[in-house]
Amino acid sequence: MGNPIPTVPLSNLNRYMGLEREQKSFRMQGNQRIVLKDIVTNYTDDPRLSESSTYYAIQADGGRQYSCDMINTIFDYKWLNVAYYSLYSGWLYPSSVKTIIYDTNGQNPLTTTENYVYNNPVNQLLSSVQTTNSKGETLLTDNFYPQDNITGLSAEALAAKNELVNRNIISPLIFQKVSKNSTLLGVSKVNYRIWPNNLVLPATVEAQIGSNPSETRLVYQQYDKNGNVLQLQKANGPLNSYLWDYTHSYVTAQAINAAINDIAYTSFEADSTGNWNIPSAARTAQNAITGVNSYNLSNGGISKGNLNASEIYKVSYWLKSSTPLTIPGTLSGYPQAGRNYNGWYYFEHLVSGKNAISISGTTLIDELRLYPADGQMLTYTYSPLTGINAQDDAKNAISYYDYDDFNRLQNIKDLNGNIQKNYSYKYAGRSVNYGGHLVYYNTEQSGGFTRDDCGSDHGSTVTYTKAAGLYSSIVSQEDADSQAIAALNAEGQAYANQHGTCIVCTGDGNKIINDICEAGVKIYTASVRHAGKFDCTYHYQWSDHSISIDYVETSTTDCMLN
């Protein structure tokens, strides 16, 4: 009524604005776009959480003069400008998605339709998904959360479920049922428990296949005070234990077939000691085999107690000395020496008959591990906010991780600096404006992958490439490239196993250097006369300046020292 009021807000009647209705992926054939995929999304405006309110704005018309005694009827309000607007709030979610995939010529469509159901307006979580494929087969997945009614829970699990609700932790999936054409395929269930430190976390995971009885597949046995899992066990499987560091944010050690009390690990990097007792906080920086720190044993010996004297433990470490440490309880035939690099030497002991293990000396030590001899351990060091900077596998083979200036993974290298995998990122992709949307296409992505099915032989490294323009995105160039990178990583290993070669490289004097079996140079370092013969000590050296362990051979003549 009256004149318009320019400052009045607009009504938000178009609630679907900004939601994606349809997405098409193309390939270019000359100037023609051939549709490869078409995704159509429908939405539901759920009335269970809808609310609409109307608001009025009143403004005096400054161009007219009236006195209050002139107001007798509604028409006497004509000296006011009146406007109104409506604001709507509601629950809007995708109710169905139809995906049509075509062949490379844009023909022979295969259609999959997914229907989504949300039963609970309180948690607003997905209750069920019904997927129908081109054959008319229907797959139904039903989900249940802490606020839902779930039967068959134990008293302990039910109390934990209710406690989750009390703490407003309502999103964990507790129970899921999957059926195909009304035939039950399987059921999975997570039983929660109220743990020490008042933590509500999973205790067991159960699975049921078809109509068979439910089986316990995973048992969580111990958490730390921050809720990080310390020990778990799969059904009929070995114990798995984990050590955490960097303010309990990262896993630094994973042990298989070992209890948490029977393992210890440190690379002397962060705030935790990894189950070791280390008397000094002093660290030696920029001199390490992994990470950036090591420890000088002159600052005090390291120990681990509460061990099982009847157990045989493996203790391994890297030492800035070619002379191994003396550890009480070491079995005959140990310590054994392994590889060496840049002045660091690897040693391992088997220790038994001890409730505690003590390590002392006067040199630098790094990558110190302890675990049962019939177990395995994998360890990691990190650059916080960037990622892993080193990984030491169960065979004590160290891999180093390099990152570019944008903190993206660039290279994975072995101990000698040989590149095992390389990642290349390119951001000069092609974009096309289609229907008002800018569509981005991936740039070429490539990476190096090493064949890993050669048994004891060495697999060569090959380059696998995803060509430009295979993947598209209406979000960003980075999103299109990330799809290509994901496909590259998913397919690269299989490509390497098919196209790479297995390199046989045996013998003490031979070593793989950049995918070539190189014969090392034999260098004699000592000659000792003994009982009319000569004990000659020698080692091999390769083009990357690495050297082997020392060997001894007996000769009737004096050996020529290099």
Side-chain angles (χ1 to χ4, degrees), residues 4 17 30 84 266 289 293 316 383 402 444 506 554:
M17 184 178 295
Y84 73 91
T266 180
I289 193 69
N293 294 330
S316 66
S383 297
D402 292 340
E444 178 181 295
T506 59
T554 301

Side-chain angles (χ1 to χ4, degrees), residues 119-248:
N119 289 329
N120 192 338
V122 178
N123 60 32
Q124 301 179 36
L125 296 171
L126 182 62
S127 299
S128 67
V129 181
Q130 180 176 289
T131 304
T132 305
N133 61 22
S134 293
K135 299 179 181 179
E137 299 172 331
T138 299
L139 186 70
L140 179 63
T141 302
D142 293 312
N143 302 321
F144 297 86
Y145 306 92
Q147 289 179 317
D148 297 325
N149 183 27
I150 304 174
T151 60
L153 295 179
S154 67
E156 180 183 63
L158 181 60
K161 168 184 167 303
N162 293 334
E163 184 61 23
L164 288 173
V165 177
N166 293 337
R167 301 184 186 188
N168 200 32
I169 305 174
I170 59 175
S171 61
L173 182 61
I174 292 182
F175 188 88
Q176 186 178 74
K177 181 173 66 175
V178 180
S179 58
K180 181 177 181 181
N181 296 333
S182 300
T183 300
L184 181 64
L185 295 181
V187 173
S188 62
K189 180 171 63 174
V190 180
N191 297 302
Y192 278 73
R193 172 187 169 190
I194 302 176
W195 293 81
N197 298 310
N198 204 26
L199 298 171
V200 185
L201 296 167
T204 61
V205 176
E206 297 180 27
Q208 176 184 335
I209 305 301
S211 58
N212 295 315
S214 181
E215 299 177 350
T216 299
R217 296 297 181 86
L218 184 63
V219 179
Y220 294 88
Q221 298 176 338
Q222 192 172 343
Y223 293 90
D224 66 14
K225 64 180 181 180
N226 296 287
N228 297 316
V229 62
L230 296 179
Q231 185 172 297
L232 59 82
Q233 186 172 20
K234 295 181 180 180
N236 302 316
L239 282 175
N240 284 261
S241 299
Y242 304 88
L243 295 174
W244 297 75
D245 205 343
Y246 302 87
T247 62
H248 305 281

Side-chain angles (χ1 to χ4, degrees), residues 276-312:
W276 289 107
N277 296 312
I278 305 176
S280 172
R283 301 292 184 264
T284 301
Q286 306 304 323
N287 194 350
I289 193 69
T290 60
V292 295
N293 294 330
S294 60
Y295 179 76
N296 195 323
L297 288 170
S298 298
N299 293 318
I302 299 172
S303 63
K304 169 71 172 76
N306 297 320
L307 299 175
N308 185 350
S310 62
E311 181 76 73
I312 299 176

